[in-house]
Amino acid sequence: MPFTPWHEDPAFGTVATWEEWRAATARTLPEFFQQWFYSQLLGFVLLWTAIAGFPGLVRRAWGLLMILAALVNTYASIMDPTCYIDYGVVAVPPMQHFIYSRLFASPALLVLPIAIGQLVIGLVLFLSEEPSLLKKGLTGAMVWFFGVSTLGFGSGFPATWIFASTMMLCWPPPPPQPSSSATARKDKGA
């Protein structure tokens, strides 16, 4: 299926302009508001917890949340794959085109690999203590949160950017370097 410009998709008519998107988002605020509010609250609580000096706890909490999200996405993509189409209303126009064309054509085929990626990220964040693996998991989570922000209000935006910032605060510290005096003493003894 060739990719058509997003304003000319024959199967779905005209996809929203930015002005139409803003109006549609405003109309759907009541439908998404409760989830959006709790996303902001969760983002700020976990951000504050990381700032307060508990990045390991926050990392594990995000790992658990990513694992749960992967399970929910897997279940939903198998049992009711069209539920993801609802997010098209509030997604930014380029993502809206993707949802109403590619995702609409085969939601389970696209959502299942995403859920697997979520599961892998979640397992790494929850279980790993290896700094190099943690860095990969945290980077994956940041990319995930920045990517999902294109769903707009339906993703909890701007909470998704807060979530990504929290991942940055969970970055493992560099390994301790031997002090120069310890190195000098070791050289003298050799």
Side-chain angles (χ1 to χ4, degrees):
M1 175 169 158
F3 188 77
T4 57
W6 50 281
H7 283 287
E8 303 169 15
D9 194 321
F12 300 100
T14 303
V15 176
T17 63
W18 286 102
E19 293 77 27
E20 293 166 336
W21 169 75
R22 282 192 280 279
T25 299
R27 281 192 309 275
T28 58
L29 283 177
E31 181 182 341
F32 287 102
F33 184 76
Q34 186 176 9
Q35 299 94 317
W36 179 86
F37 176 77
Y38 287 124
S39 293
Q40 308 313 305
L41 186 63
L42 175 70
F44 281 116
V45 166
L46 290 174
L47 180 64
W48 178 82
T49 306
I51 290 170
F54 301 100
L57 174 68
V58 172
R59 179 178 48 81
R60 284 187 176 80
W62 272 120
L64 183 61
L65 289 169
M66 292 291 275
I67 291 167
L68 292 173
L71 296 174
V72 167
N73 281 330
T74 300
Y75 178 80
S77 70
I78 293 169
M79 300 308 289
D80 182 20
T82 59
C83 71
Y84 295 97
I85 306 306
D86 294 341
Y87 290 103
V89 175
V90 291
V92 296
M95 177 59 98
Q96 194 178 65
H97 174 67
F98 174 78
I99 290 170
Y100 289 149
S101 59
R102 306 289 187 249
L103 186 66
F104 187 83
S106 54
L109 185 65
L110 293 170
V111 173
L112 283 174
I114 292 169
I116 291 168
Q118 268 184 306
L119 181 63
V120 170
I121 291 168
L123 288 171
V124 168
L125 294 179
F126 189 73
L127 298 173
S128 181
E129 291 296 331
E130 169 61 36
S132 64
L133 190 58
L134 274 178
K135 289 176 183 178
K136 290 176 180 139
L138 290 166
T139 301
M142 285 186 275
V143 169
W144 167 265
F145 290 130
F146 283 129
V148 80
S149 69
T150 60
L151 291 173
F153 197 72
S155 71
F157 182 82
T160 49
W161 287 12
I162 297 167
F163 301 162
S165 301
T166 304
M167 295 296 103
M168 292 176 205
L169 293 172
C170 294
W171 203 261
Q177 299 294 325
S179 65
S180 59
S181 59
T183 306
R185 275 183 259 145
K186 215 192 288 181
D187 291 340
K188 286 181 183 179

